[in-house]
Amino acid sequence: MEEVMVVGGGPAGLCAAIESARYGVKVILIDENDMPGGQLFKQIHRFFGSAQHRAGIRGYDIGNSLLSESEKLGVRVLLNTVVWGIFQDNFLGIKTEKETKILQAKKIVVGTGALENPLAFPGWTLPGVMGAGAAQTMMNIQRVLPGKRILMIGSGNVGLIVSYQLLQAGAKVVALVEALPKISGYLVHAAKISRAGVQILTSHTIVKADGKGEVKKAVIAKIDENFKMIKGTEKEIKVDLVCIAVGLRPLDELCWMAGCQFTYIPSLGGFIPLHSRDMETTVSGIYVAGDVSGIEEASTAIEEGKLAGIAIAESLGYISKKEAEEKKELSWESLRELRLGSFGEGRQKTKDLILKQYNSLHKM
Amino acid sequence: MNFPKSTDVIIIGGGLVGCSVGYQLAKRGRDVIILEMRNLASGASGRNGGMVTQLDGRDKNKEAILNRLNYTRENNKMLAGLAEELSYDFEYNRCGGIDIACSEEEWEYFKKLVPFQKEVGDEEVILVDKQQLKDLCSLLSDIVWGARYRPTDGTLNPFKLNIGFALAAKKYKAKVFTETKIEKIVIKHGTAIGVETNNGYIQANLIINAANAWAPLLIPEIDILPLRQVAVVTERIPELPVYSFEAIIDRQVIFGSTQQKSGNLLVGGLGTQARKREDHYKEDLSPYEIEGSTAIFNILFKGLGDVNIIRSWAGTMAFTADGLPCIGPIPQIQGLYIVAGFSNGMAFAPIIGKLVAEDLTQGKPSITLKPFNPERFYNKKISWPDSYNYTVLAEFLERK
């Protein structure tokens, strides 16, 4: 039996692996891509926050430093490997490039991240309509510019940041539409693209995308307070790429399969596996960290991963309860700080709610 | 819809058999209520391969062969016009079915079995050698030796057939209540008078137990065995020359089919672990069973190694000591009837629904239901193997 298997090599999974390996736990990290790091290597922008949260550092630099740390600590990394199931008694089904295998682990960390929400409108299946995250992967990882004239849908941080990166890569963002009456993401990002000449249209939506075989144009329109289109406000714009940035949802299939209990919190992305302060789910020995435990950001994913890693090292007897408590306190404190302010407070409340529900289950 | 207090006929089970019987009775003017503890097609009806296999098993027994073919051939005729009758397309495709020999021993046996079948009146079956089989299905690997081929076998979408029957039954005023679990069949002075459910009590003139593998939980006097099978299904693959098929690999009976309409290939059976009776109702599945069934793609076919599996599941079918269903009144009890014990439902359920309705409304079915008389098992203890799967049972019945 393996000691720990971490599913997903993004910031959460990497930090869970690093943190438990640091105390001597034998860790296998599995990622379906040909390189770990998750979204970090797409994130060419500098992070916000305090120095402790790696503010000012770009995502890919964080990714590189986590990779070299995990390597130093002897984390075994299986790449191009898919975890196709979690079963009773912590069995995992995995598929490598060569074979299918079934492994068992004392502890499992699910750090599978999130999936972009789709948006359906006439023409949404045309080539040239894609998630903003997908566009970011093409641009920053594969170095392919996915379009020249872009309509961005959604003014959350993903929509704003990807718009800016598209500009940097030489594309023109013709418009950014947002259904709500105000911008959803950080204003500092919005200001940046505004200064670069992108028109941000709040209370606007896409009506349709059009084109023969690929997107050639899109129609946008103004909407009223009930999100109904206002007739006569339709405007046709010439674009070859429609980017959808209307939120993420946890990639939680493995947790469902494992039998974890869930709660429904729309602001965190929908169904969220209940978890303890140590990030353990209702299935003993299965932990979650990062976006799968509620959509937040890389810096919170890092802290959650650390918590899971420390808690695992503790429960496997590699560090004392006292030492673990001290280490965990640092991460809890960090998470509290990261969840301050107008964008964070709501998340703190919902995370507290998850904890409350988890605890009430475990008192029974 | 208010939960009723009484009705003419209660059918227990919203699977294929329950809905088929319900449709035929409602069509003949009976007031029918179908009660289903989960949802339509939640049991074996929604967890099978959709294979219409007119003669399952490899036994060399004239009576046993004819006891199946007499009904399944009629069933096949009925299927041909059923979509029109129900006004519901259930994707019936008479693509043919093959029972594949994967060893020299099996092939030698087939060479004797097929002439025997023809001799007892099964004219349709064709013995095809390795080359002919590969001409039929070029995807097959070199493991094959030959097959028994029946051009009139086929596949259908079992969910749609089940739902088609339910909708058609509703047109004739039948009512369907799902998530309604029967706690108990109430019997008074030797007569079944109603059922206790989680939604209340319903009185009825006639109660039909069509719960298949769950039937013996309500009528333990008839020993029907639950039998769990597993299956996996691939993503859609274009234009696949595959038939409904059966084979034995590593001494285990496997099965498979393709829903030609959507192009998904479904297989199952390999690596299904033996379990004790009560565990056959569990619909979870182990990674080893998924691995086993998935291995079929690489053992039996060429070039499908990179096809993705999109779903896997376990389901519980029923098994009886002679492989035939139990159909008829329960001895000693008035007003209680059973239609259960099917292990090859697609090939039986439509015709059986019709025959049962004829039996119950006219007193005489157009084909006798005698071979299925439940009396043959009434209060008989069968010494089933303690721990079993399909293969163990097939050997137990010598029908592999």
Side-chain angles (χ1 to χ4, degrees), chain A residues 84 87 91 100 102, chain B residues 285 287-288 290-291:
Chain A
W84 48 267
F87 300 83
F91 278 99
T100 295
I102 292 154
Chain B
L285 93 180
Y288 297 100
I290 297 178
E291 196 183 37

Side-chain angles (χ1 to χ4, degrees), chain B residues 12 185 207-212 214-216 218-219 336-340:
Chain B
I12 303 170
I185 297 170
I207 296 161
I208 301 175
N209 185 346
N212 213 32
W214 286 264
L218 294 166
I219 308 179
L336 186 57
Y337 200 96
I338 190 168
V339 192

Side-chain angles (χ1 to χ4, degrees), chain A residues 165-190:
Chain A
Q165 293 175 357
L166 283 162
L167 293 173
Q168 286 179 308
K172 181 170 169 61
V173 179
V174 181
L176 185 153
V177 295
E178 165 62 55
L180 292 170
K182 66 178 187 94
I183 291 165
S184 311
Y186 294 141
L187 288 178
V188 58
H189 292 312

Side-chain angles (χ1 to χ4, degrees), chain A residues 213-347:
Chain A
E214 60 187 313
V215 173
K216 293 269 196 246
K217 59 187 181 186
V219 176
I220 56 173
K222 218 171 148 68
I223 51 177
D224 64 18
E225 59 272 25
N226 299 316
F227 298 99
K228 293 267 180 289
M229 196 187 90
I230 302 170
K231 279 234 157 84
T233 62
E234 298 95 327
K235 205 162 82 184
E236 192 177 289
I237 52 176
K238 215 181 132 234
V239 293
D240 58 0
L241 179 68
V242 178
C243 269
I244 301 178
V246 294
L248 304 164
R249 72 163 185 82
L251 209 49
D252 54 12
E253 288 86 350
L254 288 174
C255 297
W256 284 107
M257 211 177 160
C260 299
Q261 297 205 40
F262 280 73
T263 186
Y264 188 71
I265 300 177
S267 64
L268 286 179
F271 283 101
I272 311 292
L274 292 179
H275 51 272
S276 69
R277 284 188 93 196
D278 286 352
M279 305 310 295
E280 190 169 11
T281 66
T282 54
V283 177
S284 166
I286 297 183
Y287 295 72
V288 284
D291 277 352
V292 72
S293 71
I295 305 295
E296 291 190 89
E297 47 198 32
S299 20
T300 47
I302 285 171
E303 296 302 332
E304 289 186 337
K306 280 188 192 168
L307 277 175
I310 299 163
I312 285 169
E314 178 192 359
S315 72
L316 292 176
Y318 283 90
I319 47 168
S320 69
K321 190 171 188 310
K322 187 169 166 287
E323 195 187 347
E325 280 302 310
E326 284 168 16
K327 306 269 180 205
K328 285 191 274 187
E329 191 49 57
L330 293 175
S331 286
W332 286 324
E333 185 51 37
S334 243
L335 283 171
R336 267 193 296 275
E337 282 173 21
L338 286 165
R339 289 169 184 153
L340 285 174
S342 56
F343 284 94
E345 239 172 297
R347 285 186 278 136

Side-chain angles (χ1 to χ4, degrees), chain B residues 76-312:
Chain B
N76 240 41
K77 282 186 208 157
M78 190 172 162
L79 281 176
L82 194 57
E84 200 178 336
E85 181 182 338
L86 301 177
S87 306
Y88 201 84
D89 176 23
F90 51 88
E91 298 169 15
Y92 178 46
N93 180 2
R94 214 176 256 191
C95 57
I98 41 183
D99 179 17
I100 305 165
C102 293
S103 69
E104 186 173 11
E105 187 193 345
E106 290 169 70
W107 174 238
E108 290 303 321
Y109 177 68
F110 276 10
K111 286 201 276 192
K112 295 189 193 97
L113 178 60
V114 168
F116 176 83
Q117 280 176 244
K118 286 185 185 289
E119 205 181 290
V120 302
D122 181 6
E123 298 93 4
E124 260 183 11
V125 64
I126 301 169
L127 185 72
V128 291
D129 65 19
K130 183 169 182 161
Q131 192 49 52
Q132 290 166 320
L133 180 57
K134 288 198 156 196
D135 290 343
L136 283 174
C137 181
S138 56
L139 273 181
L140 287 170
S141 73
D142 277 325
I143 194 181
V144 302
W145 280 75
R148 287 191 300 163
Y149 170 49
R150 188 182 299 277
T152 57
D153 276 354
T155 65
L156 54 78
N157 182 326
F159 291 97
K160 292 197 169 174
L161 181 56
N162 199 147
I163 288 162
F165 272 127
L167 291 175
K170 282 183 175 179
K171 275 189 214 155
Y172 289 105
K173 307 266 159 55
K175 294 191 180 93
V176 180
F177 291 90
T178 55
E179 290 179 41
T180 303
K181 189 169 191 284
I182 312 297
E183 318 280 3
K184 192 177 139 195
I185 297 170
V186 182
I187 293 161
K188 208 170 161 187
H189 308 304
T191 302
I193 55 167
V195 293
E196 297 278 7
T197 81
N198 56 329
N199 290 325
Y201 176 77
I202 314 182
Q203 181 269 325
N205 303 324
L206 174 65
I207 296 161
I208 301 175
N209 185 346
N212 213 32
W214 286 264
L217 303 180
L218 294 166
I219 308 179
E221 292 83 0
I222 309 285
D223 194 4
I224 291 172
L225 200 66
L227 172 60
R228 180 180 160 280
Q229 273 282 38
V230 303
V232 302
V233 66
T234 68
E235 62 191 319
R236 294 175 177 201
I237 326 172
E239 291 174 45
L240 203 61
V242 177
Y243 302 77
S244 102
F245 63 89
E246 287 184 289
I248 298 175
I249 294 176
D250 287 345
R251 296 187 60 239
Q252 296 174 78
V253 182
I254 64 126
F255 61 90
S257 72
T258 174
Q259 305 285 335
Q260 302 249 337
K261 201 124 189 180
S262 55
N264 309 80
L265 179 60
L266 180 153
V267 301
L270 189 59
T272 311
Q273 284 141 22
R275 294 181 172 207
K276 291 193 186 310
R277 185 175 186 135
E278 61 273 18
D279 294 328
H280 278 266
Y281 291 107
K282 292 184 183 156
E283 291 164 345
D284 63 324
L285 93 180
S286 78
Y288 297 100
E289 290 173 322
I290 297 178
E291 196 183 37
S293 287
T294 304
I296 295 171
F297 292 101
N298 282 333
I299 297 171
L300 199 57
F301 299 105
K302 289 179 300 195
L304 293 185
D306 287 328
V307 173
N308 286 310
I309 305 290
I310 55 168
R311 277 192 295 280
S312 58

